[in-house]
Amino acid sequence: MTVQLTQSVKSAPDDLVDSWTNAYQDYSRLYTLEHRESSPAMREQLGYAAKRVAAAYRGLLAARGFPWWCLAAVELAAAEFEAQAIALGVGEVPNPYGGSADAGRIWRAQR
């Protein structure tokens, strides 16, 4: 199973993988900062970072060669980050595949 996943990840173009990696690293850094020194401006930055991660996940959905279960996990992750961006006041994130960002929502704003 690990070999299949490794081969699938290799089927994603490097620019998509790099885009997701950079977006998630920015999000992680802002998430840590926001929890240390929460402010409206920091929450807004975190919302935009979540929006970038969601967009990067959506980009990965366009890559070919992923098994269905991997695509389902990526779709759920994109929806979660979109929901977080909305909860943080950034606004609706366009979903090119239809449906709303609230579908299947797990993440809940605690502030």
Side-chain angles (χ1 to χ4, degrees):
M1 180 95 87
T2 303
V3 171
Q4 182 181 6
L5 179 59
T6 302
Q7 290 170 345
S8 295
V9 170
K10 286 182 181 177
S11 70
D14 288 343
D15 60 328
L16 291 176
V17 173
D18 291 344
S19 177
W20 179 87
T21 300
N22 292 333
Y24 195 80
Q25 286 174 344
D26 289 346
Y27 169 83
S28 294
R29 182 181 51 80
L30 286 167
Y31 182 85
T32 301
L33 286 172
E34 196 277 329
H35 280 281
R36 267 193 245 140
E37 48 191 80
S38 185
S39 69
M42 188 64 71
R43 283 190 293 282
E44 182 180 40
Q45 287 183 35
L46 183 61
Y48 282 111
K51 198 173 188 176
R52 280 187 57 221
V53 173
Y57 271 124
R58 294 275 178 222
L60 287 172
L61 285 172
R64 304 282 182 225
F66 285 107
W68 69 267
W69 53 267
C70 190
L71 292 174
V74 170
E75 174 63 37
L76 180 61
E80 289 301 312
F81 278 94
E82 289 168 349
Q84 184 177 4
I86 292 167
L88 289 166
V90 173
E92 188 70 32
V93 178
N95 183 347
Y97 303 100
S100 75
D102 267 345
R105 183 176 175 182
I106 296 170
W107 187 86
R108 301 283 190 257
Q110 300 297 318
R111 300 184 199 258

